[in-house]
Amino acid sequence: MKKKFHLSNLYLILVFAVLYLPILYLIFYSFNAGKTMDKFTGFSWQHYLTLFADTRMISIVINTVIIAVLSALIATLIGTFGALGIQQLRKRSLRNCILSLNNVLMVSPDVIIGASFLIFFTFLGIKLGFGSVLLSHIAFSIPIVVLMVLPKIDEMSQVMIDAAYDLGATKWQALTRVVLPAITPGIFAGYFMAFTYSLDDFAVTFFVTGNGFSTLSVEIYSRARQGIDLEVNALSTLMFVVSLLLVGGYYALTRYNESKKIHRARAAEEEISQ
């Protein structure tokens, strides 16, 4: 047993090394005083200063964040009500069929999805730019939200909803005061996943950008084709730090909600015992 345990630990170390060493290498050279990654010539903040002085890059960062926030928000709203609608379906075959259709965007290659959106927007005469990118990100984020929210709906007890109706609650009151609070962790998870997918998407965005509009992934790709630019390293480092903060915030929020539920349960048990 001990041998298997040590081997499993070694395997995990190797996996994390493969995943994180390139990122650490990138972060390390973002502080290089030189202009290449061939040799570390000394510690410097110059690439971060250059990044913050680059008005075009700052504008692209703002565009990317706006797209990610809006697409995740709209996709979360649509995906949550979509998951509620799927859960209400009585026919199991119809439900499985809709779930399969929902998962098509999850398993389809991004290149095909991006090309499909490009053809679709061209056919409708929609100009490529902010609107086309936003619509595309909403479309491929909705299935993610559905997959995050639906398990929480399935875990929810139908007894609570029936009790709300027995106490005179309307459908809207049951939804807002019983259902939505119960599935809030799934909604937050869906939002953060949609936000992350939108933030780092390249393949789909590459097909539907135009009219001078660009996002971080497309801009980084364009600059990387021209050669190594340590300003990109600095930008990638900041994005990595922000991602860690978002993950840490979500984890802290989840722990807080769990501790709050435990505290309420204990308080209820004490009241019953008294």
Side-chain angles (χ1 to χ4, degrees):
M1 293 295 292
K2 288 185 177 181
K3 187 176 181 180
K4 291 183 179 180
F5 177 78
H6 289 308
L7 288 176
S8 63
N9 283 349
L10 178 61
Y11 174 75
L12 288 176
I13 291 172
L14 290 174
V15 169
F16 281 110
V18 170
L19 290 175
Y20 285 97
L21 281 180
I23 298 175
L24 295 177
Y25 181 77
L26 178 147
I27 294 173
F28 177 73
Y29 273 95
S30 70
F31 298 102
N32 186 18
K35 295 183 179 181
T36 65
M37 296 178 65
D38 297 332
K39 183 179 180 181
F40 190 83
T41 58
F43 182 86
S44 175
W45 293 94
Q46 68 176 14
H47 302 295
Y48 289 89
L49 297 176
T50 303
L51 173 64
F52 287 112
D54 189 342
T55 55
R56 171 178 166 77
M57 184 63 79
I58 297 300
S59 176
I60 291 174
V61 170
I62 294 173
N63 290 337
T64 304
V65 173
I66 291 174
I67 287 288
V69 171
L70 289 179
S71 64
L73 184 63
I74 298 173
T76 300
L77 182 64
I78 298 174
T80 299
F81 283 97
L84 290 170
I86 293 173
Q87 195 270 341
Q88 293 295 322
L89 294 175
R90 301 301 179 187
K91 292 184 178 181
R92 189 177 184 85
S93 58
L94 179 60
R95 177 177 178 176
N96 291 336
C97 179
I98 293 178
L99 282 175
S100 298
L101 293 174
N102 176 78
N103 296 337
V104 167
L105 285 176
M106 297 288 293
V107 300
S108 298
D110 289 342
V111 174
I112 295 177
I113 296 173
S116 300
F117 279 127
L118 176 60
I119 296 171
F120 179 70
F121 293 140
T122 303
F123 176 76
L124 294 180
I126 298 175
K127 292 183 178 180
L128 300 181
F130 179 87
S132 61
V133 174
L134 179 61
L135 290 174
S136 300
H137 284 216
I138 291 172
F140 70 66
S141 296
I142 290 174
I144 301 169
V145 177
V146 171
L147 290 179
M148 293 290 105
V149 175
L150 198 57
K152 291 297 180 182
I153 298 176
D154 292 335
E155 292 175 4
M156 185 177 57
S157 176
Q158 184 65 31
V159 176
M160 294 192 300
I161 302 176
D162 295 337
Y165 287 139
D166 290 339
L167 293 172
T170 62
K171 290 185 177 181
W172 178 252
Q173 289 174 331
L175 175 65
T176 56
R177 298 185 182 183
V178 179
V179 177
L180 292 181
I183 64 174
T184 296
I187 295 174
F188 275 110
Y191 178 84
F192 280 115
M193 287 293 293
F195 179 85
T196 303
Y197 269 70
S198 173
L199 199 64
D200 67 359
D201 179 75
F202 167 75
V204 176
T205 308
F206 182 78
F207 280 92
V208 296
T209 52
N211 296 328
F213 182 83
S214 184
T215 62
L216 277 175
S217 58
V218 177
E219 181 68 14
I220 291 174
Y221 171 76
S222 300
R223 294 197 179 194
R225 291 184 63 187
Q226 300 172 3
I228 297 174
D229 185 355
L230 295 187
E231 183 183 342
V232 174
N233 287 43
L235 175 61
S236 301
T237 300
L238 293 177
M239 291 179 63
F240 181 70
V241 171
V242 171
S243 300
L244 287 179
L245 292 176
L246 289 175
V247 172
Y250 173 72
Y251 178 75
L253 181 64
T254 303
R255 291 292 300 272
Y256 173 76
N257 289 332
E258 290 178 355
S259 63
K260 197 172 181 180
K261 288 180 181 180
I262 294 173
H263 179 73
R264 287 178 178 177
R266 290 177 178 175
E269 290 178 357
E270 290 179 358
E271 290 181 1
I272 294 174
S273 62
Q274 291 176 359

